[in-house]
């Protein structure tokens, strides 16, 4: 007598077959994943600092004794005297101890990620043809058929500046100052964010600053720069003041322009360069009938984002004239949002909760980099009138400042276009990276192993 499909014996046999098939498929997928992702079984670790701050090699993990910020300091080239300077508050004399030593970050390499095509700004691992049996990690910046140039810290492709989208900007951004980590010195040091007027309505609290003003606010007239109608209005300003956060005999609280300093490279003596590509990130809560103005002056361009929450609009002003506008999310009135205002790559981006509200190109041509900088130590400010505002978790970042070979800040370009089988790679830690700038040697695309998909 044969068992029917409804018989328990038949059902049990079918269930066992399904379980075996599922286990077999799972095992196959696991093996496939282990084959595709290099570094899952045998760890792949970053050994040098050429990609810091994105990827960190062997380092000391340091916590500032004053502000509490944690940062990495190169183990291969430690600072003289084995003492570090906090890149956030400038406190010096932080002792580097043996127990602070850390291995390089562990990475996973997706060997399928680059089978179709390589993308600009992608971090890849490749076999270095000049260092046999060594795998290297760098960022792709030039693609087949392109001409690459470096000028005044910016990267140019075929004669035009290479611009990054918001996500790419954030991936490459280097922290300059985090206001959540302030010196706990007694007596206290001056605040980096300060109100301009003695009768200001900006009030400090642990996480940032609040403003509550009805009617006329404290401060000086801002003129047309802060008014859509062209009529003068009075804004109450809260302004950031930058300090030197490097080893110097000068008082660390003396104001200075933002330069291309790396907290990682404290054992490297070199000239620092004023960096005009800056980004402000904060948590913003805003409501009211008036306006909040976010000002950015990078020494070359001064722009203002004028936010009018009740009207549901934001306008971008350049030299007092409106150059762009967008809707301000009405649903966010009175709610906390992440605000990003950046001036990377000769363009302005204003975003709320990772949604880009407006962009405005300043110039994409190399001649724009010839415009002389007017150094400023006060690149960002908030101006408020007739609004209720809260700004918290204030952070300032800078873009990478690219240099010519041998760390020179001079115009430089490749001698020829990249061939169809070549790409151009650079390290994020520009001053110490050994990459395609050396002897003008592009990388053969078939040397690329895969893309970096995750790192610890």
């Amino acid at each position: 007598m044969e068992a029917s499909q409804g018989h328990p014996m038949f059902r049990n046999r079918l269930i066992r077959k399904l379980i075996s098939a599922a286990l077999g498929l799972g095992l196959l997928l696991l093996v496939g994943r282990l084959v595709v992702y290099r570094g899952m079984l045998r760890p792949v670790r970053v050994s040098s600092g050429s990609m810091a701050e994105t990827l960190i090699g062997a380092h000391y993990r340091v916590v500032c004794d004053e502000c509490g910020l944690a940062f990495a300091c190169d183990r291969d080239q430690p600072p003289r005297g084995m003492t570090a300077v906090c890149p956030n508050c400038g406190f010096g004399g932080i002792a580097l101890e043996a127990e602070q030593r850390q291995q390089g970050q562990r990475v996973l390499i997706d060997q399928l990620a680059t089978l179709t095509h390589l993308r600009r700004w992608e971090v890849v691992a490749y076999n270095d043809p000049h260092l046999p049996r060594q795998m290297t990690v760098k960022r792709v910046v030039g693609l087949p058929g392109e001409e690459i140039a470096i000028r005044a810290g910016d990267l140019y492709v075929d004669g035009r500046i290479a611009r990054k989208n918001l996500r790419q900007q954030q991936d490459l951004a280097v922290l300059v100052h985090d206001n959540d980590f302030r010196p706990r010195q007694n007596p206290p040091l001056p605040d980096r964010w300060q109100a301009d007027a003695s009768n200001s309505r900006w009030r400090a609290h642990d996480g940032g600053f609040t403003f509550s003003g009805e009617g006329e606010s404290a401060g000086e007239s801002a003129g047309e720069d802060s008014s859509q109608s062209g009529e003068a209005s009075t804004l109450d300003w809260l302004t950031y003041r930058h300090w030197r956060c490097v080893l110097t005999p000068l008082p660390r609280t003396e104001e200075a322009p933002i330069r291309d300093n790396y907290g990682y490279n404290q054992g490297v003596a070199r000239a620092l360069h004023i960096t005009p590509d800056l980004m402000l990130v904060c948590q913003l809560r805003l409501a009211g009938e008036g306006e909040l103005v976010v000002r950015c002056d990078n020494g070359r361009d001064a722009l203002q984002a004028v936010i009018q929450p009740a009207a549901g609009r934001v306008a971008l002003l350049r030299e007092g004239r409106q150059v762009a506008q967008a809707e301000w999310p009405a649903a966010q009135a009175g709610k906390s949002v992440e605000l990003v205002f950046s001036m990377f790559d000769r363009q302005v981006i204003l975003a709320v909760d990772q949604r880009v509200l407006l962009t405005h190109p300043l110039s994409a041509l190399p001649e724009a980099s010839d415009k002389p900088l007017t150094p400023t130590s006060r690149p960002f400010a908030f101006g408020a009138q007739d609004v209720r505002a809260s700004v918290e978790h204030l952070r300032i970042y800078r873009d990478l400042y690219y240099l010519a070979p041998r760390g020179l800040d001079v115009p430089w370009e490749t001698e020829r276009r990249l061939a169809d089988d070549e790409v151009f790679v650079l390290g994020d830690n520009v001053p110490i990276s050994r990459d395609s700038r050396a002897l003008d040697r592009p990388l053969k695309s078939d040397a690329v192993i895969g893309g970096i998909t995750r790192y610890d």
Side-chain angles (χ1 to χ4, degrees):
M1 179 178 177
E2 295 183 358
S4 66
Q5 291 187 2
H7 194 278
M9 183 183 301
F10 180 84
R11 289 198 303 270
N12 292 340
R13 187 181 303 126
L14 179 60
I15 290 172
R16 286 195 297 270
K17 287 182 178 181
L18 290 174
I19 292 174
S20 298
L23 290 174
L25 179 61
L27 181 60
L28 183 62
L29 291 175
L30 177 60
V31 172
R33 184 176 178 84
L34 295 177
V35 170
V36 170
Y37 288 96
R38 181 181 290 194
M40 291 195 71
L41 290 179
R42 183 180 179 186
V44 175
R45 293 192 179 275
V46 179
S47 60
S48 77
S50 66
M51 281 294 293
E53 307 280 337
T54 303
L55 297 172
I56 306 294
H59 64 281
Y60 292 92
R61 186 185 182 278
V62 187
V63 177
C64 177
D65 298 328
E66 273 207 1
C67 72
L69 182 82
F71 63 96
C73 191
D74 191 2
R75 273 176 55 185
D76 292 337
Q77 291 183 281
R80 182 179 299 178
M82 297 298 289
T83 57
V85 177
C86 176
N88 184 62
C89 74
F91 177 69
I94 306 172
L96 302 183
E97 308 288 353
E99 59 267 21
Q100 297 171 333
R101 293 178 181 175
Q102 303 289 323
Q103 292 181 290
Q105 287 177 290
R106 181 176 176 177
V107 299
L108 286 183
I109 304 170
D110 183 357
Q111 299 179 100
L112 294 181
T114 55
L115 285 184
T116 52
H117 61 278
L118 295 170
R119 295 177 292 274
R120 196 182 327 278
W121 310 120
E122 180 179 18
V123 180
V124 299
Y126 61 90
N127 291 314
D128 192 328
H130 306 287
L131 296 172
R133 297 181 298 279
Q134 180 169 318
M135 188 164 52
T136 304
V137 176
K138 294 290 186 291
R139 192 179 298 274
V140 175
V141 301
L143 302 173
E146 296 178 339
E147 287 183 317
I148 306 301
I150 293 170
R151 189 163 184 163
D154 287 320
L155 180 77
Y156 287 80
V157 176
D158 293 337
R160 301 187 71 83
I161 198 166
R163 289 191 168 125
K164 300 180 284 293
N165 61 33
L166 178 62
R167 178 62 181 272
Q168 292 163 344
Q169 289 186 12
Q170 293 173 321
D171 286 345
L172 275 74
V174 178
L175 181 66
V176 172
H177 178 67
D178 188 335
N179 196 60
D180 287 351
F181 296 88
R182 298 187 294 278
R184 299 182 291 266
Q185 194 175 74
N186 190 18
L189 297 173
D191 289 329
R192 303 283 278 276
W193 287 91
Q194 297 181 29
D196 290 2
S198 59
N199 61 337
S200 173
R201 292 178 180 170
W202 286 103
R203 296 289 181 267
H205 61 82
D206 289 343
F209 301 87
T210 59
F211 179 88
S212 179
E214 300 294 338
E216 186 173 343
S217 300
E220 299 179 354
S221 173
E224 293 183 353
D225 284 12
S226 60
S227 174
Q228 298 307 300
S229 63
E231 299 176 358
S233 65
T234 302
L235 293 170
D236 192 344
W237 289 100
L238 176 72
T239 303
Y240 172 75
R241 293 152 169 81
H242 186 65
W243 301 346
R244 291 183 181 88
C245 291
V246 296
L247 184 63
T248 172
L250 300 172
R252 64 163 151 158
T253 57
E254 181 178 87
E255 294 186 29
I258 295 173
R259 298 178 183 267
D260 63 333
N261 176 45
Y262 289 82
Y264 191 85
N265 294 349
Q266 301 205 20
V268 179
R270 66 180 186 91
L272 299 177
H273 310 93
I274 296 174
T275 307
D277 290 12
L278 304 173
M279 174 189 293
L280 170 68
V281 180
C282 69
Q283 289 296 127
L284 171 66
R285 190 188 304 270
L286 182 63
E289 298 296 325
E291 63 186 25
L292 179 78
V293 177
V294 188
R295 182 177 67 201
C296 179
D297 181 354
N298 66 0
R300 181 181 288 141
D301 298 286
L303 294 105
Q304 295 184 345
V306 182
I307 307 170
Q308 298 172 326
R313 70 190 299 265
V314 55
L316 184 68
L317 277 63
R318 185 181 186 187
E319 297 179 358
R321 295 188 303 173
Q322 181 175 304
V323 295
Q325 69 172 4
E327 291 185 3
W328 181 257
Q332 306 300 342
K335 297 181 180 179
S336 181
V337 298
E338 182 190 63
L339 178 75
V340 178
F341 187 22
S342 83
M343 292 179 67
F344 282 20
D345 309 322
R346 302 287 299 156
Q347 71 172 340
V348 179
I349 292 181
L350 183 77
V352 168
D353 288 339
Q354 298 299 303
R355 174 190 165 201
V356 175
L357 299 186
L358 58 81
T359 62
H360 177 68
L362 299 174
S363 175
L365 301 176
E367 304 85 70
S369 63
D370 292 334
K371 181 179 178 180
L373 282 171
T374 303
T376 177
S377 61
R378 303 183 180 186
F380 290 105
F382 292 94
Q385 180 185 31
D386 295 340
V387 291
R388 298 181 305 279
S390 170
V391 287
E392 298 181 322
H393 309 304
L394 291 143
R395 301 184 304 280
I396 292 175
Y397 296 87
R398 67 168 179 85
D399 196 6
L400 301 185
Y401 193 93
Y402 288 109
L403 299 167
R406 296 181 296 281
L408 300 177
D409 188 19
V410 296
W412 176 86
E413 61 185 23
T414 52
E415 296 179 353
R416 57 174 176 81
R417 288 188 176 273
L418 299 176
D420 292 340
D421 61 346
E422 293 177 331
V423 292
F424 201 87
V425 295
L426 293 176
D428 289 359
N429 194 340
V430 180
I432 69 169
S433 175
R434 182 182 181 278
D435 46 43
S436 291
R437 293 170 300 170
L439 303 179
D440 195 12
R441 292 185 300 212
L443 175 70
K444 292 292 185 182
S445 0
D446 59 9
V448 175
I449 300 167
I452 303 300
T453 61
R454 196 189 75 189
Y455 42 90
D456 300 327

